[in-house]
Amino acid sequence: MTTNAELLSRREAAVVRGVGHVTPISAQRALNAEIWDVEGKRYVDFAGGIAVVNTGHCHPKILAAVSEQMQRFTHTCFQVLMYEPYILLAERLNAIAPIQGPLKTAFFTTGAEATENAIKIARAATGRSGVISFTGAFHGRTIMASAMTGKVVPYKKGLGPTLPDVWHVPFPVPQFGVSVEDSLKFLGYIFKADVDPSRVAAIILEPVQGEGGFHQAPPELMRALRRICDEHGIVLVADEVQTGFGRTAKMFAMEHYDVSPDLICVAKSLAGGFPLSGVIGRAAIMDAADPGGLGGTYAGNPLACAAALAVLDIFAEEKLLDRAAALGTRLMTRLEKLRMRNDLMPIADIRGLGAMVAFDIVKERGSAEPDAEATKRVVQFAHENGLILLSCGTNANTIRILTPLTAEEAIVDEGLDILEKALAN
């Protein structure tokens, strides 16, 4: 029998260090919210492939849809021969995206491709080059996406200069002492000191920051950005790679706001585990690029499109948006009870939008001083005791929960029991 240790040793010899790894666990199979490793040990999945399997591992409807498509063909490249699953998926996303007016969609393969292509589209539509992003943001690891990402380690350190014409505004997080007023004031400084707004193509942000610590953009910030973009002809881009497809108890997190973006980037749970991303946006903006300027060999591949169509059906048939709301309430209620206990590690700032839930581990009860080392210990203990758990945050002290929305309540409670033990360890 192959062991986790043997695979880890082989990985160290064959895989570049920069790819990184979180655990010494090697998955062999998975079902819904459970994973089994190569040694047969079972784990509760509170990571969901970093929000990729909102519909659970190996959902039978997704497997059936992909199998059916495989009997037809697996690849042609949409830029050579069009096929119905691509067009049908674009039509369905255009119908549900929270943007007013005629919409169009382009598909790609990864989340970073989605954010980069959103900027290409915005530049083509405006004839400008500048981009405004936010500190704490994560938009991907490719050269433009990493330039927009607002975190140096590990996404920029030692990897050379990033692209020019990208500026970062402090993201408003009250516990970090940054208000919406502070953010907007800093944006004003950028417009005065670094780039005239007439040269800015896009402002991009996550409605809820992912790697940055699950902090939600306040509604007043979204309204102000919409007003600024309208005033200066700037394209407002919502990066919904992690928040999209039910994670926040809405199909798109932008549905929680009373303003709309111009473009929405999607990926991760769009195709239930198959590689697919996209940009949905106002037709007049989306059509700005010349034919052939967007796309890719595997962009919008037919297997992933078939999976994504099944994902949309599953959301409707299983009422996953309602389940996401209920799951979020269940998680927040239990975490609040853990926060009140003096016999556990001190935790603070329990937060969540729908089932996108997180909390911070701090050094002292009642303080906001981050404890990154204790956070590492909690994650390690969880892994050793059957729970796949992830940390995040600019201070590396945030525990995030991204369990599949299809997870049974008993499985969720089992995972929370292990988390409780980890906080008591």
Side-chain angles (χ1 to χ4, degrees):
M1 178 184 70
T2 302
T3 66
N4 289 314
E6 288 171 345
L7 285 178
L8 180 60
S9 177
R10 288 165 56 190
R11 181 203 186 284
E12 294 302 312
V15 180
V16 297
R17 183 182 64 173
V19 172
H21 70 278
V22 178
T23 75
I25 300 166
S26 299
Q28 184 180 64
R29 64 186 179 93
L31 183 64
N32 200 3
E34 299 170 273
I35 298 175
W36 288 263
D37 69 12
V38 293
E39 298 173 3
K41 183 176 179 179
R42 171 183 165 277
Y43 300 83
V44 175
D45 187 5
F46 268 21
I50 315 184
V52 169
V53 286
N54 287 353
T55 50
H57 295 281
C58 297
H59 195 290
K61 289 185 180 295
I62 295 175
L63 297 184
V66 173
S67 178
E68 183 179 351
Q69 178 59 45
M70 287 181 69
Q71 305 307 311
R72 299 190 182 102
F73 61 89
T74 61
H75 179 72
T76 68
C77 184
F78 192 75
Q79 296 180 65
V80 177
L81 296 172
M82 63 181 173
Y83 40 88
E84 188 175 25
Y86 187 117
I87 297 170
L88 181 56
L89 180 59
E91 290 173 338
R92 291 184 66 174
L93 292 179
N94 293 344
I96 64 174
I99 304 175
Q100 287 73 45
L103 305 183
K104 289 193 176 183
T105 292
F107 292 118
F108 309 100
T109 309
T110 69
E113 281 186 272
T115 59
E116 289 220 4
N117 277 280
I119 299 306
K120 287 168 62 178
I121 292 165
R123 285 176 166 177
T126 62
R128 308 170 182 179
S129 60
V131 178
I132 303 294
S133 183
F134 285 83
T135 59
F138 179 79
H139 298 296
R141 294 178 175 89
T142 50
I143 189 67
M144 182 63 189
S146 62
M148 297 187 295
T149 291
K151 187 177 180 181
V152 172
V153 180
Y155 307 117
K156 302 181 185 184
K157 183 181 178 182
L159 301 179
T162 59
L163 294 179
D165 274 6
V166 178
W167 294 269
H168 291 88
V169 172
F171 191 82
V173 181
Q175 70 198 71
F176 296 163
V178 181
S179 66
V180 171
E181 182 181 1
D182 294 330
S183 298
L184 296 176
K185 183 183 295 184
F186 198 94
L187 178 58
Y189 293 156
I190 290 176
F191 285 161
K192 286 183 172 61
D194 295 310
V195 60
D196 189 84
S198 65
R199 200 163 63 80
V200 174
I203 296 178
I204 184 170
L205 79 163
E206 302 155 280
V208 182
Q209 289 197 331
E211 296 294 320
F214 281 29
H215 299 289
Q216 182 184 358
E220 56 268 33
L221 176 67
M222 282 292 187
R223 295 189 196 106
L225 294 179
R226 179 71 273 174
R227 174 183 54 77
I228 290 167
C229 287
D230 290 342
E231 179 181 351
H232 298 290
I234 299 170
V235 176
L236 181 59
V237 181
D239 179 349
E240 294 238 28
V241 168
Q242 188 163 158
T243 57
F245 299 94
R247 179 50 55 182
T248 68
K250 300 284 188 182
M251 192 60 80
F252 300 93
M254 286 304 302
E255 295 178 66
H256 291 282
Y257 299 92
D258 55 8
V259 295
S260 299
D262 299 302
L263 303 177
I264 296 178
C265 302
V266 293
K268 290 190 179 286
S269 278
L270 165 61
F274 286 80
L276 183 66
S277 66
V279 179
I280 313 164
R282 302 187 193 280
I285 296 175
M286 294 291 291
D287 273 334
D290 288 336
L294 308 175
T297 302
Y298 297 103
N301 75 86
L303 299 182
C305 286
L309 289 168
V311 165
L312 296 179
D313 290 340
I314 292 165
F315 265 92
E317 294 167 7
E318 300 185 15
K319 297 181 172 55
L320 290 191
L321 297 182
D322 292 339
R323 292 188 68 176
L327 175 60
T329 298
R330 192 178 196 87
L331 293 170
M332 297 277 282
T333 300
R334 179 71 177 274
L335 291 174
E336 188 58 36
K337 291 179 180 178
L338 299 181
R339 187 186 68 83
M340 300 296 292
R341 288 177 49 179
N342 292 324
D343 59 331
L344 302 180
M345 286 184 186
I347 67 175
D349 196 27
I350 299 167
R351 53 194 179 272
L353 190 61
M356 193 169 182
V357 174
F359 63 90
D360 295 335
I361 295 180
V362 294
K363 290 192 173 181
E364 294 183 7
R365 202 167 305 280
S367 78
E369 186 178 359
D371 195 334
E373 289 303 315
T375 305
K376 288 180 182 178
R377 294 197 301 273
V378 167
V379 171
Q380 180 179 351
F381 181 94
H383 294 161
E384 292 170 352
N385 289 270
L387 176 66
I388 305 298
L389 195 64
L390 296 176
S391 61
C392 65
T394 55
N395 294 314
N397 72 314
T398 298
I399 296 293
R400 52 178 162 172
I401 300 177
L402 291 165
T403 187
L405 307 180
T406 51
E408 299 94 338
E409 291 181 353
I411 295 293
V412 174
D413 290 342
E414 180 184 351
L416 289 169
D417 289 343
I418 298 172
L419 175 59
E420 179 180 333
K421 292 177 183 177
L423 291 171
N425 185 44

